[in-house]
Amino acid sequence: SLAVSAQGHLYAWGAAKSGQLGNGIDATHDDDDGDDDDEGAAPVRLPTRVEGLSGVVMVAAGAWHSIVLTDAGAVYTFGRGSSGQLCLGDEIPRSRPTRVDSFPASLGVPVEVAAGRLTTFVRFAHGAVLAAGSNLKGELGCGGLAGWDDGEVRSGAFIGRQLPHSARPHCRLTPVAVAWPRVGE
């Protein structure tokens, strides 16, 4: 669970096995079996401030990862990265907030973040929405199960790339453009 105080501080509590609380609890236990056990990491039972972040204006929690947006338009992610949902170009879990610097400046500043079970979505000032993470059942909304090729532009938005050696070919490790709304709609 995540909450933002009136002063812009982030507080987190709950399951901690994948680093999704941003409190430095070891994020190396990153299985993909879908269960919610907290093997090796005791849950945090009270809201605890996440250090190193200020000016937080929006947060979103996936099943095992978290996304933070600050008033300066910075996006931070942490937790399980097994499907690329941290938007950092790899599948490595992070137990502390890590800034995402891969967004094209042409999209403007990020203005909204959202999360699914193993997905991350970021909406930008110029209207584009980028998504990263699992696309096993088309949940990224990018027009196919694997998305488009690296660097291709559709509707003015950058398309992310899939790492060639990913163990999960249906995942996006960097953001891909969401194909909605379609041009002209």
Side-chain angles (χ1 to χ4, degrees):
S1 297
L2 303 172
V4 179
S5 72
Q7 296 79 22
H9 302 297
L10 176 63
Y11 289 82
W13 65 99
K17 82 171 187 176
S18 296
Q20 68 267 44
L21 300 183
N23 58 6
I25 291 178
D26 186 21
T28 58
H29 182 70
D30 197 13
D31 63 15
D32 218 6
D33 61 8
D35 64 15
D36 288 330
D37 67 347
D38 284 323
E39 186 178 313
V44 175
R45 302 202 187 279
L46 293 171
T48 305
R49 184 170 169 190
V50 177
E51 299 299 325
L53 291 174
S54 61
V56 176
V57 295
M58 183 176 282
V59 295
W64 299 284
H65 75 293
S66 302
I67 307 106
V68 175
L69 176 64
T70 69
D71 57 5
V75 173
Y76 293 83
T77 59
F78 45 95
R80 176 181 283 183
S82 62
S83 295
Q85 65 268 39
L86 299 183
C87 304
L88 298 170
D90 58 37
E91 297 172 312
I92 299 169
R94 307 298 201 289
S95 61
R96 297 265 184 216
T98 303
R99 185 175 175 153
V100 179
D101 289 322
S102 62
F103 301 130
S106 62
L107 299 179
V109 297
V111 295
E112 188 174 3
V113 294
R117 181 173 179 261
L118 296 171
T119 56
T120 295
F121 298 87
V122 180
R123 185 172 61 86
F124 294 84
H126 297 309
V129 176
L130 296 187
S134 175
N135 200 33
L136 181 62
K137 298 181 180 176
E139 56 265 54
L140 295 183
C142 60
L145 296 183
W148 293 303
D149 294 333
D150 184 28
E152 186 174 350
V153 174
R154 299 198 190 256
S155 304
F158 175 81
I159 307 303
R161 66 184 175 87
Q162 178 179 328
L163 291 183
H165 302 294
S166 173
R168 296 169 186 84
H170 58 274
C171 297
R172 280 296 192 175
L173 305 179
T174 56
V176 62
V178 174
W180 177 89
R182 299 196 189 283
V183 176
E185 288 184 20

